[in-house]
Amino acid sequence: MKKFVLLYLLALLLLFTLFYADTSILSRVLNDTQSALTLMMLEPFLKPGQLQGIDHHHYPSLQDHYHTGL
């Protein structure tokens, strides 16, 4: 049981690092692809000016501010 829990946590940490954290090229490619796909799918439903927004990589949102306490 202890071995299973350890392997599970290690796999979770590895997958988090590869896909979510901004530490690898793979995570950046997946994030950019997901963002482009989302915008492409939303385009038919939104007015032309609604697809523009702020770049959240340079300007953290209020939600990030309140969740991290910064």
Side-chain angles (χ1 to χ4, degrees), residues 27-46:
S27 65
R28 287 189 166 234
V29 168
L30 286 174
N31 187 25
D32 292 341
T33 304
Q34 179 186 10
S35 297
L37 182 63
T38 302
L39 287 174
M40 184 181 72
M41 298 298 275
L42 284 175
E43 193 172 10
F45 303 104
L46 299 175

Side-chain angles (χ1 to χ4, degrees), residues 6-70:
L6 180 63
L7 287 175
Y8 182 81
L9 291 175
L10 286 174
L12 188 65
L13 181 65
L14 177 69
L15 290 173
F16 175 80
T17 303
L18 284 176
F19 294 116
Y20 184 73
D22 196 21
T23 56
S24 68
I25 294 174
L26 179 63
S27 65
R28 287 189 166 234
V29 168
L30 286 174
N31 187 25
D32 292 341
T33 304
Q34 179 186 10
S35 297
L37 182 63
T38 302
L39 287 174
M40 184 181 72
M41 298 298 275
L42 284 175
E43 193 172 10
F45 303 104
L46 299 175
K47 297 174 185 172
Q50 288 180 319
L51 286 176
Q52 297 174 351
I54 55 175
D55 185 5
H56 291 287
H57 294 288
H58 300 290
Y59 303 104
S61 66
L62 289 176
Q63 183 179 4
D64 291 340
H65 173 76
Y66 289 117
H67 283 267
T68 59
L70 297 175

